[in-house]
Amino acid sequence: MNKKLPNFVALLGITLLFISATIDLDNLFNYANQSKPNYINKDNTADGNQIDDKIATLGRVLFYDKKLSANNTIACASCHKQEKAFGDDATQSVGLNGSLTGRHSMRLINSRFSDENKFFWDERAASLEDQTTKPIQDHVEMGFSGTEGDPDFNDLITKLSAVDYYQELFKFAFGDETITERKMQLALAQFIRSIQSFDSKFDVGLVQVNNPNNDFPNFTAQENLGKRLFRDPPNMNGAGCAGCHRGNEFDIDPNSGNNGIIGVAGSTTEIDLTNLRAPTLRDLVNPDGNLNGPLMHDGSIKTLLDVINHYDAIPNNTANTNLDNRLRPRGTPQMLNLTNDEKEAVVAFLKTLTGTDVYTNEKWSNPFDENGSIVLTGSVLSTNEEVFGKKVNIYPNPVENRLFIEIAKGSYVSTVYDVQGKKVYTKNILDTSELDFSALNKGIYMLKITDIITHKSFVKRLIKK
């Protein structure tokens, strides 16, 4: 993670230094007070779980941590990738031990901004909080199911409770290092709700005219035609897309039935009528115009034009007893009879709903290095001895050759990281000891002292002169 260091470093003449795989608890990203357009009105934030920077920071670490899977190979981010609008480019995501998920992984972009409170394609989670830990407890996905020989969620809590950075982060976020499923749900949901995208070409145009029904001056004629077709109902010679994908959030109507796609991923014979939810239509494609992944719950549609072709002529499948009423006017499946030019126009409009910031913004990026390591820094750790439980004296700082550590007798491991988050020095210590910095280059380092018995850690920034 690249993060600006505190002011005292700058006072020593070191400016704009960046630390990889480090979270500075003194300088958190802004998750709680992000700006959003005044025309975005929907919000499914649960009562009592308003976004807080500390808790969302914990959520970010949980979201990217592979330790949340039974064999340390899968994280939430394995199936919800930042560069894919927090979706997956695979039709079925790869879970634990190479097994495949039953449905395509839904994009998480703008999950907060919808009226629909239920989550998953089949709405089996009553809230986003409820949703966040279900993949962890799935035998195929992350493996803490408590079935088929899997460990259960209590085993996960025991596992995470032994991880030093979780002891620090849970206490930082909640005031208590005790880990519970509910705390994990609150933190993950806050991080996911913080992921937002409102810097698209559509947003620029709407600000210019302040009325989505008017032509946008920054749109091409084709894009403006596509916008009209998207918004107007079929009885006004439109495609009626906005009837289900509503407003400027482009969220799904909570009362929707299925959309005529009833297949099961990986099967040519099974059907599934339970998929009633969909993600926002924002960021269907990335800034280059390429799809962020296959579409629909079974990943069966591979292009935006194929999506429009599907809605232009809904399949007349007698096995589908749960088709949305808006897709069967007069009791028969919808036939829009759009021209090829009209279809291409709707595709062009859908591409205007893509932003840029969310794909690269560091606040939503992976905080771990390539080895799965992370370092926490900040005065909350280096000056609050309650976190570590023992008095520590470290001098001199800045250090030239020898660094002295005074600490109560015990068993500790001291580790030094450079500004890239790379481990450059380690030494076991018992009490008063010294570290040899003579071979290290000038610059900023992090010293981490971990109590081998309690697993608590103390982290301090050092300067090598």
Side-chain angles (χ1 to χ4, degrees):
M1 167 181 168
N2 298 328
K3 197 83 162 74
K4 192 166 71 174
L5 295 172
N7 291 335
F8 81 89
V9 175
L11 292 174
L12 293 167
I14 301 169
T15 60
L16 281 178
L17 282 170
F18 294 92
I19 298 173
S20 175
T22 301
I23 290 182
D24 183 352
L25 302 182
D26 290 336
N27 295 277
L28 299 177
F29 286 120
N30 173 21
Y31 297 107
N33 296 301
Q34 300 178 88
S35 61
K36 64 179 179 66
N38 58 13
Y39 49 79
I40 299 299
N41 301 308
K42 299 165 189 172
D43 190 335
N44 58 45
T45 298
D47 291 341
N49 200 30
Q50 297 294 323
I51 297 174
D52 173 271
D53 290 343
K54 292 180 179 181
I55 298 175
T57 298
L58 168 60
R60 176 187 176 210
V61 176
L62 290 166
F63 186 85
Y64 280 97
D65 198 343
K66 293 181 179 179
K67 291 185 180 69
L68 270 67
S69 67
N71 64 359
N72 302 319
T73 62
I74 301 293
C76 303
S78 300
C79 305
H80 299 282
K81 303 168 185 174
Q82 183 178 17
E83 68 272 20
K84 300 298 179 183
F86 291 91
D88 199 353
D89 47 353
T91 299
Q92 294 170 268
S93 299
V94 178
L96 212 68
N97 302 315
S99 301
L100 297 179
T101 57
R103 295 181 175 90
H104 176 64
S105 292
M106 186 182 291
R107 287 172 296 109
L108 298 181
I109 203 88
N110 287 2
S111 292
R112 171 183 175 184
F113 304 102
S114 71
D115 286 335
E116 178 59 86
N117 292 316
K118 298 177 182 178
F119 282 82
F120 290 116
W121 294 99
D122 61 3
E123 301 182 344
R124 68 184 183 275
S127 66
L128 180 56
E129 283 76 10
D130 182 35
Q131 183 275 333
T132 57
T133 53
K134 288 189 182 300
I136 300 171
Q137 298 176 76
D138 186 278
H139 173 68
V140 168
E141 295 188 48
M142 298 176 76
F144 281 97
S145 70
T147 65
E148 301 184 54
D150 288 349
D152 64 16
F153 205 88
N154 288 328
D155 294 311
L156 172 62
I157 290 175
T158 299
K159 176 183 179 180
L160 298 185
S161 296
V163 177
D164 54 2
Y165 54 82
Y166 281 127
Q167 296 169 9
E168 295 159 355
L169 281 170
F170 274 87
K171 184 166 185 177
F172 180 67
F174 293 105
D176 180 353
E177 67 184 40
T178 303
I179 300 176
T180 67
E181 181 178 4
R182 184 57 179 166
K183 288 180 182 177
M184 292 175 65
Q185 290 176 331
L186 295 173
L188 282 164
Q190 285 196 25
F191 176 69
I192 293 168
R193 283 200 181 94
S194 80
I195 300 168
Q196 63 180 55
S197 180
F198 297 118
D199 62 339
S200 68
K201 189 174 184 178
F202 171 84
D203 294 297
V204 172
L206 184 53
V207 168
Q208 289 175 324
V209 301
N210 202 33
N211 186 339
N213 293 313
N214 294 340
D215 281 354
F216 289 1
N218 66 324
F219 272 22
T220 65
Q222 184 187 48
E223 290 165 346
N224 273 314
L225 172 60
K227 178 166 69 68
R228 183 193 67 76
L229 290 165
F230 183 96
R231 295 181 64 82
D232 287 351
N235 62 6
M236 295 176 59
N237 298 316
C241 311
C244 293
H245 300 282
R246 310 159 317 143
N248 300 315
E249 295 86 357
F250 299 94
D251 65 317
I252 189 70
D253 181 353
N255 298 313
S256 297
N258 81 52
N259 67 349
I261 305 247
I262 60 173
V264 173
S267 173
T268 58
T269 58
E270 296 177 272
I271 65 170
D272 184 354
L273 307 181
T274 66
N275 298 290
L276 309 178
R277 199 193 196 283
T280 177
L281 297 186
R282 285 176 176 268
D283 290 272
L284 287 164
V285 301
N286 62 32
D288 293 329
N290 297 314
L291 272 180
N292 282 315
L295 302 166
M296 309 303 174
H297 69 273
D298 61 353
S300 60
I301 294 188
K302 311 299 184 184
T303 72
L304 289 179
L305 183 57
D306 286 341
V307 173
I308 307 307
N309 283 330
H310 167 75
Y311 286 109
D312 186 56
I314 296 293
N316 188 5
N317 191 332
T318 56
N320 188 359
T321 58
N322 201 22
L323 181 66
D324 191 282
N325 287 330
R326 285 161 288 195
L327 298 178
R328 50 179 178 187
R330 297 173 297 278
T332 58
Q334 173 173 277
M335 295 289 290
L336 295 175
N337 297 312
L338 297 174
T339 68
N340 288 336
D341 287 345
E342 288 173 329
K343 293 176 183 178
E344 293 289 356
V346 177
V347 169
F349 169 68
L350 291 174
K351 290 183 176 181
T352 71
L353 304 181
T354 286
T356 57
D357 176 64
V358 74
Y359 295 91
T360 57
N361 195 310
E362 189 182 351
K363 70 169 69 175
W364 299 308
S365 68
N366 186 355
F368 293 91
D369 68 13
E370 65 275 9
N371 298 315
S373 298
I374 192 170
V375 174
L376 305 181
T377 67
S379 61
V380 68
L381 299 176
S382 60
T383 62
N384 181 0
E385 292 172 356
E386 278 186 24
V387 173
F388 189 52
K390 298 186 180 179
K391 183 176 176 62
V392 184
N393 189 23
I394 298 172
Y395 63 92
N397 187 17
V399 56
E400 187 169 359
N401 292 315
R402 293 190 301 167
L403 181 79
F404 294 92
I405 300 173
E406 293 179 353
I407 190 171
K409 190 173 183 63
S411 296
Y412 313 93
V413 59
S414 60
T415 308
V416 178
Y417 299 87
D418 65 14
V419 293
Q420 302 302 320
K422 180 181 178 182
K423 184 188 301 183
V424 296
Y425 186 94
T426 186
K427 181 180 179 180
N428 290 333
I429 59 178
L430 297 175
D431 42 35
T432 300
S433 186
E434 67 178 68
L435 305 185
D436 183 2
F437 269 55
S438 60
L440 300 183
N441 295 325
K442 295 179 181 180
I444 296 291
Y445 294 87
M446 261 67 60
L447 169 66
K448 182 177 183 180
I449 301 172
T450 302
D451 188 317
I452 295 175
I453 304 302
T454 68
H455 303 290
K456 294 181 182 296
S457 294
F458 177 94
V459 180
K460 188 173 183 66
R461 291 187 193 84
L462 301 173
I463 299 171
K464 168 68 190 302
K465 64 180 182 179

